[in-house]
Amino acid sequence: MRPATTPAPASAFERACSAYLRGSGLALRVLGVLALALMVGSHALEIAWRFFNQRGLSWVHEFSIIAAMVLYFLMYAEISKQRDYVRLDLLEQRLPAAARRHLSTFIRLVVLAFHALAAWYAVATARFAAAFDTTVLEWPETVFYVPLALGCADIVLTEAIHLWRHLRGQAEEERAAPRVLT
C-alpha cells in the first residue's frame, strides 16, 4: 500500500493567482448583476414614465447601450475564468496527449494575444473618444470603451494565469459542462 501523499503547499504566487481569480470573478458577477438591474430598472422607469406622461425618457436607450456593453464584456471576462469558451472537444479528444498539450498551449497564446490586442485597442480608442460626448447623456464617449478595456485586461490576466498553470503541468479541474461543443 502506498503512503498517502500530501499536496505541496501552494506558493505565495499561486495563492495570489487563486485569490485574484476568485475575487475578480465575484466582482465581475456583482457588476454584471448591477448592470442588468440598471438596464431593467431604466426600462421599467421609462415604461412608467410613458404611462403617466405619454412620452419617453430620451436618455434610457443610450444608457441601456452603455449598461449592455458593461454586462457583455464583463460577463465574457467571467466566462474566461471558468474556461467555458466555445470549444471543439471532439477534435481535442481524438488527438494524442502530446498534441493536445501543444494545441492547448497554442490556443491559450492566441486567446491571450487577441485579448491583449483588444485591450490595447480599447485604451487607445478611449483616449481618442474622450474628446467627444455621447449624444443624449453628454458623457465622454470613453464610456463605450472602458468595459471592453476592463474585460479584455481581466481576460489577459486570467489567461496568463491559466497558461502559467498549464505550462507547469497543473491539471485543470474537470468542467461540469458537456464535452462536445461548449
Side-chain angles (χ1 to χ4, degrees), residues 133-153:
D133 290 335
T134 60
T135 308
V136 179
L137 294 171
E138 296 182 1
W139 291 352
E141 284 194 10
T142 305
V143 299
F144 292 122
Y145 300 97
V146 168
L148 175 61
L150 291 175
C152 286

Side-chain angles (χ1 to χ4, degrees), residues 35-49:
L36 184 60
L38 288 171
M39 285 174 57
V40 171
S42 66
H43 282 283
L45 178 63
E46 182 173 32
I47 290 168
W49 189 265

Side-chain angles (χ1 to χ4, degrees), residues 44-113:
L45 178 63
E46 182 173 32
I47 290 168
W49 189 265
R50 281 182 185 269
F51 179 78
F52 290 111
N53 297 304
Q54 283 69 45
R55 60 185 168 83
L57 298 169
S58 60
W59 57 268
V60 169
H61 181 70
E62 190 171 273
F63 181 79
S64 290
I65 290 171
I66 295 167
M69 291 180 74
V70 168
L71 180 65
Y72 178 80
F73 290 116
L74 296 187
M75 289 304 93
Y76 193 69
E78 170 57 19
I79 288 169
S80 77
K81 301 235 182 289
Q82 306 303 321
R83 294 178 310 283
D84 278 340
Y85 296 114
V86 172
R87 297 166 43 135
L88 293 172
D89 289 333
L90 285 176
L91 170 66
E92 180 185 0
Q93 290 173 356
R94 296 191 183 341
L95 295 174
R100 277 197 310 264
R101 183 164 169 79
H102 292 307
L103 177 64
S104 182
T105 301
F106 175 74
I107 289 172
R108 288 182 191 285
L109 287 170
V110 168
V111 168
L112 191 74

Side-chain angles (χ1 to χ4, degrees), residues 3-21:
T5 59
T6 58
S11 69
F13 182 72
E14 179 60 36
R15 286 192 307 271
C17 288
S18 295
Y20 173 77
L21 292 174

